[in-house]
Amino acid sequence: MVNFARFYNRRKPKHLPEVAGVRSPVTDDGMCVIKCTEAVFKWRTMYAVFVPSDVDFYMRDISSFMKCIEQERLTWYSGYPYEIIKMLDSPDLNRYDISSLSAVVVTGQSVSSHNLERIFDQFPDTMNAYGSTEVLATMTSTLHSTFDLKRNSVGYPLPHMELKIVGKHGETVPVDNPGEVCVRGWASFLCYFNDPRATAAAKGNSNWIHMGDVGMMDKTGHVKLLGRLAECVTFKHMGEKVFPSLILDTARSHPKVETAVVIGIPDDRLGDDVCLFVELKHEATLTEDELESYFQSKLMFLQCPLYYFVLEKLPRIGARNKVHIAELKQIATERIATDNKEEQWNR
């Protein structure tokens, strides 16, 4: 934690004193400790402010977050992208003075290129990062990256971490080739408590942690994420491996779509069935046929999902309100089974 804080201590904020808003230890397991430790290093020029408890993971009332920024004059916030996106989408945004906030940490979830641009436009000193609890929150940084690389990658490995991109058999793939992201270093976790099977699945015998994310590394060491390994799907008919980023970016570009998730359901005959789930913005209406027509106007046929699902709310699970992928797979499987029965009946 101290070494993380020492690294972030190198950042040169534009305005002093810096007021860093952080989640409390009750709702965050890493970034709050890192930011508080950084405040110790910068005790003359930084204050750390714990955001109120009503700024919870579910963000039921985004106004409480904006009110906190206004009252405390936050210049930096270490939270999660969905909080920032929800704030930018809020119809009450102009009611609060959030001009003091110039930077946020974008980490903890995949963010579409469209929303990432919105975040950087609003908060130009934003730091893009990548990590997980298993590596003490963060393992990459864009602290010394160019402007373009800050927007188009999750950064380069921190000095105390190693990162590589591997193929199906664990081999390191060449630069600019996709594969699974693996990481190791002193910040790596030792094991999952009382769960040797899960530990072995994540670390194997080499101590490299398999992150379950697909990415590419360029010649400078910067990493671009393409999606979750479990979400990599094979289009029907052609057998081409396609990552979900193109589908997700297209879905999120629709003015009525709030959130999108793409999954693949195995099909023994033709490959995986590509399924898109979307959650609409407040009071928006959109049919599955309209969503399909939108995709057909934007992408080639083989780039489009096979099934479209418009849900009032995406199913979520856990304290961090993550999308419940298993439940989505169950919904898709039932729809596909029903469609197959109708097809057989018509024959």
Side-chain angles (χ1 to χ4, degrees):
M1 289 293 187
V2 171
N3 281 344
F4 272 122
R6 286 173 66 92
F7 183 81
Y8 286 119
N9 188 37
R10 304 174 192 176
R11 191 172 54 85
K12 303 297 182 183
K14 292 182 179 180
H15 306 288
L16 293 176
E18 189 174 15
V19 184
V22 294
R23 285 190 170 278
S24 73
V26 176
T27 57
D28 188 272
D29 51 10
M31 288 305 296
C32 63
V33 182
I34 294 172
K35 188 54 64 176
C36 288
T37 307
E38 183 185 353
V40 173
F41 283 111
K42 294 182 175 179
W43 65 275
R44 288 186 177 91
T45 59
M46 175 185 278
Y47 304 96
V49 176
F50 288 116
V51 298
S53 58
D54 56 348
V55 181
D56 58 18
F57 277 114
Y58 297 97
M59 278 287 153
R60 297 180 181 89
D61 182 11
I62 195 66
S63 62
S64 62
F65 180 44
M66 295 186 286
K67 183 178 180 180
C68 176
I69 297 173
E70 180 181 70
Q71 289 183 343
E72 303 295 340
R73 305 306 298 160
L74 299 183
T75 62
W76 174 273
Y77 180 64
S78 296
Y80 297 91
Y82 71 87
E83 300 170 317
I84 308 303
I85 295 168
K86 190 167 185 178
M87 178 174 65
L88 295 179
D89 288 338
S90 172
D92 297 328
L93 179 61
N94 293 329
R95 293 180 54 193
Y96 298 89
D97 181 7
I98 65 167
S99 60
S100 62
L101 189 65
S102 64
V104 296
V105 175
V106 181
T107 188
Q109 71 181 76
S110 175
V111 183
S112 70
S113 57
H114 169 68
N115 279 326
L116 200 57
E117 285 189 13
R118 294 174 63 202
I119 293 173
F120 272 99
D121 288 343
Q122 182 75 34
F123 311 110
D125 296 332
T126 288
M127 182 184 294
N128 202 358
Y130 171 59
S132 69
T133 303
E134 287 84 348
V135 291
L136 287 182
T138 307
M139 61 189 182
T140 68
S141 172
T142 55
L143 183 58
H144 300 300
S145 303
T146 65
F147 181 77
D148 287 340
L149 286 171
K150 284 183 178 181
R151 290 194 176 216
N152 298 308
S153 77
V154 292
Y156 51 87
L158 292 171
H160 51 270
M161 300 298 291
E162 294 179 276
L163 189 150
K164 66 179 180 179
I165 310 296
V166 303
K168 289 183 178 180
H169 305 293
E171 74 284 6
T172 302
V173 302
V175 166
D176 293 328
N177 277 262
E180 184 180 8
V181 179
C182 294
V183 62
R184 72 178 179 185
W186 61 260
S188 303
F189 80 120
L190 294 179
C191 64
Y192 291 114
F193 184 63
N194 285 342
D195 199 340
R197 180 176 297 180
T199 303
K203 300 179 72 173
N205 298 321
S206 63
N207 246 11
W208 283 93
I209 301 174
H210 290 253
M211 298 298 293
D213 294 307
V214 177
M216 296 191 301
M217 181 183 289
D218 68 14
K219 61 183 180 181
T220 69
H222 283 76
V223 177
K224 181 177 182 178
L225 297 181
L226 301 175
R228 291 291 293 171
L229 190 64
E231 295 171 344
C232 295
V233 294
T234 305
F235 276 122
K236 296 186 72 172
H237 307 302
M238 293 299 293
E240 286 290 330
K241 178 173 281 189
V242 176
F243 301 108
S245 54
L246 179 61
I247 297 174
L248 292 175
D249 280 351
T250 303
R252 291 162 180 164
S253 70
H254 195 290
K256 294 184 178 181
V257 171
E258 176 74 21
T259 309
V261 178
V262 61
I263 63 173
I265 301 298
D267 185 325
D268 292 337
R269 301 169 300 161
L270 301 170
D272 290 345
D273 293 332
V274 184
C275 303
L276 173 68
F277 290 82
V278 300
E279 178 181 312
L280 303 183
K281 294 181 179 179
H282 182 60
E283 295 186 348
T285 58
L286 181 69
T287 68
E288 293 171 357
D289 288 340
E290 290 171 339
L291 182 60
E292 183 175 4
S293 297
Y294 180 78
F295 264 80
Q296 291 174 350
S297 69
K298 296 288 186 179
L299 302 178
M300 294 186 296
F301 170 73
L302 290 174
Q303 295 174 321
C304 294
L306 188 62
Y307 291 93
Y308 298 83
F309 299 83
V310 177
L311 303 183
E312 183 177 347
K313 289 289 183 182
L314 290 173
R316 297 183 179 272
I317 190 172
R320 296 198 177 184
N321 205 26
K322 292 186 177 181
V323 176
H324 198 332
I325 298 298
E327 187 168 337
L328 294 184
K329 288 185 176 181
Q330 181 64 31
I331 295 172
T333 300
E334 292 175 357
R335 164 80 73 82
I336 293 169
T338 300
D339 287 358
N340 287 341
K341 286 182 180 178
E342 291 180 354
E343 181 181 347
Q344 291 174 3
W345 176 261
N346 291 333
R347 286 178 182 175

